[in-house]
Amino acid sequence: MNKVKVGILGLGRWGMCHLEAFSALGQAEVVAICDRSPERLEQAGKTYGIKRLYYDENDLLQDASIDLISVVTFESQHLEPALKALQYGKHVLVEKPVTTRPEEALKMQAAAAASGRLILPGHLLRFDPRYAAIKDAIQSNQVGTPVSMYMKRSRERYLFETFKRVHTVFELMIHDIDLAIWYAGSRVVKVKAYGRTLSGATSPEVLWANLEFENGAIAVLHSNWLTPDKAGIEIADAIEVIGLSGIAHFETSQSGLHIWSGEGRQTPDMNIHVKLHGATVGSLREQLTYICRCIASGEDPAVISFADAVHGIEVANVIVASCETGCEVMVGKME
């Protein structure tokens, strides 16, 4: 199988995770990277032996040797490079959220259809074995068709300073919106949401959303940036899916690795992006492995759905509107 030639746009914290994960794959070769910081770009090139270093994203997007562009820039900067990459005949991976505007998501989807290339959202929890096992249990009828879903996502307080740049629905809750759509196998028709701001920021530190699906399923999603920094809990998430046949659930903060030291307790993430004997493992790597396999073999990437991502952005915007108005909002009925 030929290696997929990858170009990475954006070398921030998560962009570097993409670089590390792609570099660990036998199916991929990172041939070019692009970032506006000369120091960061040159250091990454030196560390990973990459010779084509671009300061201008247009040079990266036009590089004829690249098969797949990974767009890992700020949310507001996804549309233009995604459209250009498709225009230049490349497949595109767009990190979550794919955008914050439904019309932009629709433009990406239409451009991919016109180009005959793949556009893939970075919803990596579909490749976390725990969340994927719930999907399998739904499909195998161990859990069965979901009737009720609850999903909580909590992060440390200090992170809010960085991620308050956009509404919490796009940085935290977008993961659970995608999971709820994936599990329900249906579209959201009605939303009632509640946001609470403690610091006065435009983005709420606490967000709750009640979703009602076309097929009758209901979901309650809860996201917050309020885990105390000194608690040492990197990820405090929970999920429960009640189906017609059974129930699936797990909670992260009391499971997995705990490290107790003189500096306190740590519960580091061991599922998303982890170093193992010098190589990268985790759901990010599994997602990229799957994408590269599909591109190299021509396989349909059925596990990933850009149509679900488009609907997820639509739902996210309705959640914002419900928070602002205090009213229940019908999806597709916003003025």
Side-chain angles (χ1 to χ4, degrees), residues 99-103 105 167 169-170 173-174 176-178 180-181 186-193 207-214 219 221 307-323 329-334:
T99 177
T100 60
R101 300 178 178 88
E103 63 273 17
H167 197 282
V169 74
F170 296 111
M173 192 171 281
I174 198 69
D176 293 317
I177 293 171
D178 182 66
I181 292 169
S186 182
R187 290 310 191 225
V188 179
V189 294
K190 192 184 301 182
V191 168
K192 180 69 172 77
L207 179 63
W208 288 79
N210 303 317
L211 311 182
E212 184 175 332
F213 288 81
E214 195 171 40
L221 312 184
D308 284 357
V310 171
H311 182 56
I313 297 303
E314 180 185 22
V315 172
N317 276 268
V318 173
I319 288 171
V320 173
S322 180
C323 284
V329 181
M330 301 296 291
V331 178
K333 301 297 183 182
M334 289 175 57

Side-chain angles (χ1 to χ4, degrees), residues 105-138:
L106 287 168
K107 284 181 181 178
M108 292 182 204
Q109 187 177 36
S115 71
R117 293 294 184 266
L118 298 174
I119 188 162
L120 306 152
H123 290 299
L124 56 73
L125 292 185
R126 295 191 182 203
F127 296 88
D128 183 316
R130 300 166 300 177
Y131 292 106
I134 293 176
K135 178 66 173 178
D136 289 344
I138 290 169

Side-chain angles (χ1 to χ4, degrees), residues 5-7 29-33 50-53 63 65-66:
K5 303 297 194 295
V6 178
E29 179 186 357
V30 180
V31 296
I33 52 179
I50 301 166
K51 294 188 170 30
R52 293 207 287 284
L53 311 178
D63 187 324
S65 70
I66 296 173

Side-chain angles (χ1 to χ4, degrees), residues 93-287:
L93 168 61
V94 187
E95 254 309 327
K96 70 87 195 165
V98 295
T99 177
T100 60
R101 300 178 178 88
E103 63 273 17
E104 291 188 354
L106 287 168
K107 284 181 181 178
M108 292 182 204
Q109 187 177 36
S115 71
R117 293 294 184 266
L118 298 174
I119 188 162
L120 306 152
H123 290 299
L124 56 73
L125 292 185
R126 295 191 182 203
F127 296 88
D128 183 316
R130 300 166 300 177
Y131 292 106
I134 293 176
K135 178 66 173 178
D136 289 344
I138 290 169
Q139 293 179 319
S140 68
N141 210 38
Q142 285 181 292
V143 168
T145 302
V147 176
S148 171
M149 296 178 280
Y150 168 70
M151 301 171 188
K152 185 200 84 170
R153 198 157 300 274
S154 181
R155 295 295 178 272
E156 294 161 294
R157 288 174 180 261
Y158 81 92
L159 292 169
F160 185 65
E161 191 59 34
T162 296
F163 292 109
K164 68 182 181 182
R165 62 179 181 248
V166 294
H167 197 282
T168 294
V169 74
F170 296 111
E171 290 296 347
L172 272 187
M173 192 171 281
I174 198 69
H175 285 293
D176 293 317
I177 293 171
D178 182 66
L179 288 172
I181 292 169
W182 191 36
Y183 292 159
S186 182
R187 290 310 191 225
V188 179
V189 294
K190 192 184 301 182
V191 168
K192 180 69 172 77
Y194 308 84
R196 293 294 181 268
T197 299
L198 283 67
S199 63
T202 303
S203 177
E205 284 96 330
V206 177
L207 179 63
W208 288 79
N210 303 317
L211 311 182
E212 184 175 332
F213 288 81
E214 195 171 40
N215 65 1
I218 55 175
V220 176
L221 312 184
H222 169 210
S223 294
N224 72 76
W225 301 97
L226 293 178
T227 302
D229 297 338
K230 291 186 177 180
I233 301 174
E234 188 173 345
I235 291 177
D237 299 344
I239 184 168
E240 179 179 71
V241 177
I242 302 173
L244 293 175
S245 306
I247 297 174
H249 63 91
F250 68 83
E251 195 274 341
T252 67
S253 66
Q254 299 302 319
S255 60
L257 175 65
H258 287 235
I259 298 174
W260 301 342
S261 71
E263 297 178 353
R265 179 182 67 171
Q266 292 178 297
T267 59
D269 166 58
M270 300 303 294
N271 295 283
I272 302 301
H273 182 72
V274 188
K275 290 286 190 178
L276 176 64
H277 306 311
T280 295
V281 298
S283 54
L284 174 60
R285 175 174 169 165
E286 292 305 314
Q287 177 192 44

